[in-house]
Amino acid sequence: QTVVTQEPSFSVSPGGTVTLTCGLSSGSVSISYYPSWYQQTPGQAPRTLIHSTFTRSSGVPDRFSGSILGNKAALTITGAQADDESDYYCLLYMGSGIWVFGGGTKLTVL
Amino acid sequence: QITLKESGPTLVKPTQTLTLTCTFSGFSLSTSGVGVGWIRQPPGKALEWLALIYWDDDKRYRPSLKSRLTIIKDTSKNQVVLRMTNMDPVDTATYYCGHYGWLFHFDYWGQGTLVTVSS
């Protein structure tokens, strides 16, 4: 069974840039997996940031961007702000109507 | 605008069947390409996709839970129901429903409902 991997935690300084990644335990992530990214703060529902690898959802600031880096999907936050401190999840479409979330990355801004 | 809201019991006993309802507005489940999915999150853990029903009544399930899950839609009531049989304490989680648009992602989410499985 393929596992979707994310860094468990990451830290970034205010104003800094951070790249979170989303990989596979076996194989490479490509645009064919239609990676999407979600931000979640404690006690709240997820908020959709990016879909189809690159496309920002409505209302999402352009300091959030998605890409493919090497064999992983990536979410880059440029100019990190205090309220970016959240959990971030990627979601991959595995084909045959099956979706798998990654384990999430807890981002600290300090 | 699109909104979704989950409803159902907050407490179920082990072995019981959980029935959750997602009531939505701002879209129709008879529109081509649209779907509604269910995702859960155990306390302190990651999101987990469970099931999705499409406008054409096609249904998809998480393989490891397929035997326990049933998803149905009532287009006239703008509702989607998820049933999960044989509940266990490990199924304790916040259950979310989400709007599925084109391009393989969930773009709108309900607020979630916490379901605790305990005797």
Side-chain angles (χ1 to χ4, degrees):
Chain A
Q1 180 180 337
T2 301
V3 175
V4 177
T5 61
Q6 295 184 249
E7 299 88 357
S9 62
F10 230 117
S11 182
V12 62
S13 300
T17 297
V18 63
T19 297
L20 312 181
T21 67
C22 175
L24 291 171
S25 57
S26 176
S28 300
V29 177
S30 68
I31 61 172
S32 300
Y33 285 84
Y34 297 92
S36 52
W37 291 89
Y38 305 84
Q39 178 191 48
Q40 188 183 36
T41 53
Q44 299 298 311
R47 170 197 181 196
T48 309
L49 297 176
I50 301 283
H51 70 88
S52 307
T53 309
F54 312 104
T55 305
R56 269 188 301 277
S57 293
S58 177
V60 174
D62 60 6
R63 54 199 182 79
F64 291 90
S65 62
S67 64
I68 297 290
L69 287 180
N71 61 351
K72 296 182 180 182
L75 173 72
T76 298
I77 307 172
T78 305
Q81 300 179 0
D83 60 4
D84 294 335
E85 187 162 293
S86 303
D87 295 326
Y88 292 85
Y89 293 93
C90 68
L91 175 66
L92 299 181
Y93 177 64
M94 309 304 283
S96 302
I98 304 299
W99 283 262
V100 179
F101 282 96
T105 296
K106 183 177 183 62
L107 180 67
T108 301
V109 180
L110 52 75
Chain B
Q1 90 263 26
I2 292 175
T3 64
L4 307 98
K5 187 173 184 178
E6 306 86 353
S7 59
T10 57
L11 179 66
V12 297
K13 294 183 182 339
T15 75
Q16 286 186 336
T17 294
L18 171 67
T19 299
L20 293 173
T21 300
C22 176
T23 304
F24 56 85
S25 63
F27 68 96
S28 171
L29 244 185
S30 60
T31 300
S32 178
V34 172
V36 170
W38 286 93
I39 300 100
R40 72 178 179 180
Q41 186 173 37
K45 296 189 177 181
L47 298 167
E48 190 174 83
W49 172 75
L50 298 177
L52 176 68
I53 188 164
Y54 292 93
W55 83 101
D56 61 357
D57 210 38
D58 187 17
K59 301 163 187 175
R60 303 290 173 168
Y61 297 103
R62 183 181 187 84
S64 60
L65 293 173
K66 187 175 182 178
S67 64
R68 298 175 54 205
L69 294 173
T70 302
I71 189 170
I72 61 173
K73 64 181 176 71
D74 186 330
T75 305
S76 64
K77 291 184 178 179
N78 281 353
Q79 290 182 334
V80 170
V81 171
L82 181 75
R83 293 196 180 96
M84 181 180 293
T85 61
N86 194 25
M87 293 292 284
D88 182 271
V90 299
D91 297 313
T92 294
T94 296
Y95 286 76
Y96 297 97
C97 61
H99 172 269
Y100 173 88
W102 288 99
L103 299 174
F104 304 96
H105 72 289
F106 299 97
D107 49 8
Y108 297 90
W109 295 69
Q111 64 191 23
T113 185
L114 176 61
V115 178
T116 301
V117 184
S118 175
S119 54

